[in-house]
Amino acid sequence: MADEEDTTPEEGPDESGAESQEPESEPTPPPETTPEPAVEPTPPGEAQESAPEAEKKDTDPATWKEVNHNFDEALRALLGDGGLQLGGTGTNNIFIGTTSVATLGDNHTSGAPGRFEATLRSGPVSSTLLDRIRASFVEPAGYQRLKDTLVARQIVFVRARSGSGRTTTALRLLDETCRTGVRKLDPDTRLKALEADDFEDSHGYLLESLDPDQAAGLRLFHAEKLSQLMRDKGCMMIVIVGETVPLPAREVGDFVIDELGTIEPQTLLTRHVEWGLRGSSVASTAGALLSRPDVKEIIAEITEDVPPRELAELGALLVEVAHDRIDLERVRERYSRVTQASFLEWFDEQSDPEQRAFVIALAVLNNETVTLVSDAAAILAKRIKAVEIPRRFDRAKPLFKTSLNQRLEAARAEVVQDTLKLKYGDVAVRKVRFNDDRFPRWLLDHICAQYSEEFEIVREWLTELGEQNNNRLSMRAAVAVGLLSVYDFPSIYSKIISAWATADGYDPRWAAAAALQLPSRDPALSRLIDRLLTDWIKKPTMPMVLRRTAAQALGTTEAMSTEKVLSLLKYAARQDDLILSYMIGESICRLFRQTEQRPAVLRALLNWTADEKFPQRRETGLRALIYISRFLDDVEVVESAEEWPIFLWVADQDAVQREQILTLFGRVLIAAGFMHGGYARINNWVRRSRRDQTLRAPLARFLYDVGRESGELDSIREHLEYLASMKRNLAGTVRTLLLHFDERIVK
């Protein structure tokens, strides 16, 4: 195969029991029907004796979920729940969070807010999203011209600024003209190479970002060829081009629409509020809400140049006001005329070293606990004063000089009561945050752009935060660094991200992987991140630590297609490195969490776990299966009191994926070194079904079919009987499961 080396790596060391260590694991009986040795319970701590100390927590589901949660929190705190315009020009946009009225811009998302899997890179656009657009869309002035050009030529290039509603407009037009379905093409698609087999009849296709090199090479021949191809297939295509990307006007000018025209702000805002209140129990109508004097004051400050995306976000916030979920004063602060000039005046007022350190720390740790922000500020203040006040006898300062309230007042921030989720439960804490949620990103951008020497101090401080053995701190630092890298990628990458990426510790490597997520979502940098991660994986001269970091980043990156991610992980999986195998397993988990990626992931795992040429790859595939069943074992089902195991839930929803999962889990149960993990999961599932009877029948069907598929039916039955004899509280549940077994045998 093209991606293999000439020499086969030697088989790695035996990892027997490595996957079995978890609090709920139960003893497993020796299966009499197989030649494997008895599988005894692994004493706590022994299962991962072969893994470095810094990596042991990587196999703990609680730690893995904690990292994801802290990354989500960092995104929301720094970027907010809506959109973010980056840079002074406003031409680049990053959107995090659930697809909603507030985030219908250039990226469409799924999953919980801030999840790593945020952007739909390619594939079918959901009917739910198209329905939302249909309900809230307002045609820009140039919509009819765009539609006429598309109908006449079947393909059109839309060159418009980011934030102008270009993606929403394109999706609405394709939905209107191609009711069979709308799909997004992968950004790596080469227009010149497209053939009839790449398209489904009567579908609309959107290419959301055209590479500048492709744009420069387009000729009339290519445009006309695509136009004829679309006509033959009954399809339509819209290609979005950045406003600064040149197109050869003499060649393809007749296929290009520059700008979409204006949208009347009041009309768009009203439409979004109407859509947000549709079906709501709130008594207030859109007209009544928008007619309130305090709301009209906010609307009066909206100018004609406000991007449609901002109006959509304002509409969503006003709907929240109508539901009494947020206070109108928050909306007023967000949309008041706080200019960049007044922000700069405020920043210049923070002249005291401790105060300036405090506001910078708050920008990175916005909405974190008072203690964490204060401690981080103290570290930064020492670095600042070491430069500003180099003489030792000048460093003394009076204690209790400035209270927290004074710092907050000067910083335009506040303390709020909140809860913090700890290992053993939630605790009440005081958190500190800016009154204006734009200040964190404004402040970081300002320091990076205007204070090169001072930023070196901040850079060293951010690097230190990312290396802390505290993923709350490291994730906050990572998001801040990721944001800064969009402004100045070469400098931030060379001075911060690369240092984290080559560190031995788990937290700094995760910080590097997380920091690469924001630039991977930026059209101008995504291809660069693609090439960077590809080099880290495939270049033979790259150190192993970079392969590990790349493997961590690949499961979350939006810089490349799922197929390419899986191809790179497959290439890396033949390496004889246990930590790298852990990282690949984590990335496979993240891909599997995305519903639309599961078919590709299952096909890959079927291939990997059957690989005899590279035993390391087979073991990595088996490890990924164990990780999926441990880390993602939390599907909420309405009719059940307990969360369903993800394998059981997916197998119950899709017949094709069921057969694949049966084969894969059967391979886990017969693999030396991995059967421990497989039987431990069965123990966990049996305990859940004891607490929730609705799980028993589907679990029995699943286990029976796994046993029949793998030839391990007798071993599974013996294991369940042994479990019942060891755990009396499970005896009744096991009897019910085995009754289902017998019924299936009779049938």
Side-chain angles (χ1 to χ4, degrees):
M1 291 182 290
D3 70 332
E4 313 292 10
E5 292 183 347
D6 295 334
T7 58
T8 304
E10 295 182 2
E11 187 170 356
D14 180 29
E15 302 169 40
S16 182
E19 273 66 37
S20 65
Q21 182 55 40
E22 56 181 18
E24 70 268 16
S25 61
E26 302 289 351
T28 307
E32 295 178 0
T33 57
T34 66
E36 300 293 344
V39 183
E40 300 296 339
T42 307
E46 291 187 10
Q48 301 188 38
E49 206 57 42
S50 60
E53 184 67 31
E55 302 305 329
K56 288 183 181 178
K57 65 179 179 179
D58 177 47
T59 58
D60 178 10
T63 300
W64 190 80
K65 292 177 181 179
E66 182 183 342
V67 171
N68 281 276
H69 172 76
N70 288 331
F71 183 82
D72 293 347
E73 289 295 310
L75 285 174
R76 281 191 286 269
L78 185 58
L79 306 183
D81 289 321
L84 165 62
Q85 284 200 331
L86 299 175
T89 63
T91 58
N92 297 321
N93 292 273
I94 289 177
F95 280 78
I96 312 298
T98 306
T99 299
S100 69
V101 67
T103 55
L104 284 178
D106 296 334
N107 293 319
H108 303 283
T109 63
S110 60
R115 292 284 183 148
F116 278 103
E117 69 269 22
T119 302
L120 171 63
R121 179 183 172 91
S122 61
V125 179
S126 71
S127 58
T128 302
L129 176 57
L130 294 175
D131 289 343
R132 288 177 177 178
I133 295 175
R134 197 178 302 124
S136 60
F137 184 71
V138 175
E139 295 182 4
Y143 186 80
Q144 189 59 46
R145 179 189 170 210
L146 174 62
K147 181 178 179 179
D148 292 342
T149 304
L150 181 64
V151 171
R153 302 192 176 274
Q154 310 294 124
I155 178 173
V156 62
F157 297 86
V158 175
R159 185 162 53 189
R161 69 187 186 282
S162 182
S164 62
R166 58 190 188 182
T167 300
T168 303
T169 300
L171 289 174
R172 177 68 193 106
L173 180 53
L174 290 172
D175 179 43
E176 182 182 350
T177 55
C178 306
R179 300 309 294 265
T180 306
V182 180
R183 301 179 67 90
K184 288 179 68 176
L185 292 171
D186 192 290
D188 292 333
T189 297
R190 295 183 63 247
L191 290 177
K192 297 178 184 179
L194 289 173
E195 301 291 346
D197 291 343
D198 296 316
F199 300 97
E200 296 183 37
D201 292 345
S202 305
H203 275 64
Y205 287 86
L206 171 65
L207 181 59
E208 201 170 7
S209 173
L210 184 63
D211 179 72
D213 291 338
Q214 279 206 66
L218 285 175
R219 296 295 178 264
L220 179 61
F221 168 79
H222 304 129
E224 290 180 340
K225 177 185 174 183
L226 279 172
S227 177
Q228 187 59 49
L229 178 59
M230 293 294 100
R231 187 168 283 106
D232 293 342
K233 299 289 290 187
C235 295
M236 303 278 191
M237 181 188 294
I238 296 178
V239 180
I240 292 178
V241 185
E243 63 177 340
T244 60
V245 175
L247 284 167
R250 291 185 179 180
E251 299 285 344
V252 297
D254 291 341
F255 293 82
V256 178
I257 295 293
D258 284 307
E259 289 299 333
L260 299 172
T262 60
I263 298 176
E264 206 283 312
Q266 183 73 28
T267 303
L268 181 60
L269 180 61
T270 302
R271 182 69 60 84
H272 278 288
V273 173
E274 289 174 344
W275 177 81
L277 293 176
R278 184 175 300 173
S280 170
S281 60
V282 176
S284 176
T285 64
L289 177 63
L290 296 175
S291 298
R292 282 173 45 176
D294 48 1
V295 174
K296 290 177 69 175
E297 288 180 10
I298 298 173
I299 296 175
E301 298 186 7
I302 297 175
T303 58
E304 293 289 338
D305 59 347
V306 173
R309 185 175 292 148
E310 287 284 325
L311 293 169
E313 181 182 350
L314 174 57
L317 291 174
L318 290 176
V319 170
E320 295 296 294
V321 170
H323 285 88
D324 292 325
R325 289 194 282 258
I326 62 173
D327 189 85
L328 184 64
E329 191 58 32
R330 286 290 179 196
V331 182
R332 188 192 309 279
E333 291 173 0
R334 178 66 181 83
Y335 285 90
S336 64
R337 299 187 182 210
V338 178
T339 64
Q340 288 282 350
S342 64
F343 164 77
L344 296 179
E345 292 176 4
W346 165 83
F347 182 75
D348 289 340
E349 292 172 358
Q350 318 298 310
S351 56
D352 177 70
E354 282 90 355
Q355 181 64 22
R356 185 153 289 190
F358 181 82
V359 297
I360 295 171
L362 183 54
V364 174
L365 301 169
N366 192 39
N367 204 37
E368 258 296 357
T369 63
V370 172
T371 302
L372 204 62
V373 175
S374 299
D375 289 348
I379 297 172
L380 180 57
K382 288 181 181 179
R383 291 182 177 275
I384 293 174
K385 289 189 290 185
V387 174
E388 289 189 351
I389 314 172
R391 293 177 298 175
R392 181 174 299 176
F393 57 81
D394 283 339
R395 295 183 187 176
K397 67 173 185 178
L399 296 176
F400 304 105
K401 178 182 178 182
T402 307
S403 68
L404 175 63
N405 286 339
Q406 289 173 307
R407 293 216 181 281
L408 292 174
E409 183 179 359
R412 297 186 187 177
E414 64 179 352
V415 169
V416 294
Q417 297 295 326
D418 204 344
T419 58
L420 185 65
K421 189 177 293 295
L422 300 178
K423 180 178 181 181
Y424 299 106
D426 295 347
V427 296
V429 294
R430 294 189 307 158
K431 290 186 176 181
V432 57
R433 67 188 184 194
F434 282 111
N435 294 328
D436 190 324
D437 63 7
R438 293 169 292 180
F439 272 32
R441 50 188 182 266
W442 280 1
L443 194 150
L444 291 173
D445 181 26
H446 182 59
I447 295 174
C448 180
Q450 301 296 330
Y451 297 95
S452 57
E453 183 177 354
E454 293 82 351
F455 182 68
E456 286 299 301
I457 299 172
V458 176
R459 175 189 63 77
E460 293 171 359
W461 171 73
L462 284 170
T463 304
E464 182 180 350
L465 291 185
E467 294 170 347
Q468 297 295 311
N469 187 26
N470 180 332
N471 58 57
R472 275 172 60 204
L473 274 177
S474 63
M475 287 299 101
R476 289 305 188 105
V479 171
V481 167
L483 177 63
L484 291 170
S485 73
V486 179
Y487 301 132
D488 182 8
F489 187 83
S491 173
I492 300 302
Y493 169 76
S494 63
K495 294 180 178 179
I496 304 180
I497 298 177
S498 62
W500 288 343
T502 53
D504 288 331
Y506 175 83
D507 288 305
R509 285 207 317 273
W510 244 125
L516 290 172
Q517 299 320 303
L518 293 184
S520 80
R521 299 173 187 185
D522 182 80
L525 293 172
S526 62
R527 291 176 178 83
L528 184 151
I529 303 300
D530 181 326
R531 291 190 285 268
L532 178 78
L533 294 176
T534 301
D535 275 359
W536 284 5
I537 288 288
K538 302 196 79 169
K539 270 196 173 180
T541 56
M542 291 294 175
M544 181 57 71
V545 67
L546 279 182
R547 287 195 176 92
R548 295 170 182 171
T549 305
Q552 285 175 276
L554 282 170
T556 61
T557 188
E558 296 167 17
M560 59 184 74
S561 65
T562 302
E563 289 72 18
K564 183 168 184 180
V565 167
L566 289 169
S567 175
L568 290 175
L569 291 175
K570 177 183 178 182
Y571 185 87
R574 85 240 190 283
Q575 298 287 327
D576 187 10
D577 183 85
L578 188 59
I579 300 174
L580 178 62
S581 184
Y582 291 158
M583 303 300 101
I584 294 171
E586 282 192 353
S587 282
I588 291 293
C589 277
R590 290 187 169 83
L591 292 174
F592 192 83
R593 184 170 60 185
Q594 305 173 64
T595 303
E596 67 274 11
Q597 312 300 358
R598 281 181 194 148
V601 172
L602 289 171
R603 288 193 300 270
L605 290 176
L606 284 168
N607 177 278
W608 294 14
T609 55
D611 193 334
E612 298 298 332
K613 180 179 179 181
F614 292 98
Q616 289 83 3
R617 179 179 292 156
R618 176 168 47 81
E619 292 174 3
T620 297
L622 292 168
R623 178 172 292 109
L625 289 166
I626 295 291
Y627 277 19
I628 291 170
S629 65
R630 293 179 66 195
F631 294 171
L632 306 182
D633 226 0
D634 55 0
V635 179
E636 293 186 2
V637 179
V638 174
E639 60 269 21
S640 298
E642 286 289 314
E643 294 175 332
W644 278 43
I646 187 139
F647 278 155
L648 181 59
W649 183 82
V650 174
D652 207 54
Q653 301 296 312
D654 187 291
V656 174
Q657 293 183 26
R658 179 184 182 84
E659 293 302 316
Q660 295 171 323
I661 290 172
L662 294 176
T663 299
L664 289 167
F665 198 75
R667 290 176 182 176
V668 170
L669 295 183
I670 62 176
F674 294 92
M675 63 170 62
H676 244 120
Y679 279 105
R681 300 317 302 154
I682 291 176
N683 297 345
N684 175 275
W685 301 342
V686 171
R687 273 194 300 274
R688 291 194 197 190
S689 66
R690 181 180 71 84
R691 298 189 295 264
D692 186 350
Q693 295 186 19
T694 62
L695 272 172
R696 295 179 186 178
L699 176 59
R701 291 194 300 268
F702 180 80
L703 293 179
Y704 179 87
D705 291 345
V706 167
R708 185 186 57 186
E709 174 73 24
S710 63
E712 292 295 298
L713 187 58
D714 290 340
S715 295
I716 293 174
R717 177 184 285 274
E718 290 174 17
H719 173 79
L720 292 174
E721 292 172 345
Y722 179 70
L723 182 62
S725 69
M726 297 293 292
K727 296 288 184 179
R728 293 183 180 179
N729 63 340
L730 297 179
T733 303
V734 170
R735 281 196 301 270
T736 303
L737 294 175
L738 293 179
L739 282 174
H740 284 288
F741 270 40
D742 295 337
E743 289 175 2
R744 292 183 72 79
I745 291 173
V746 171
K747 290 179 181 179

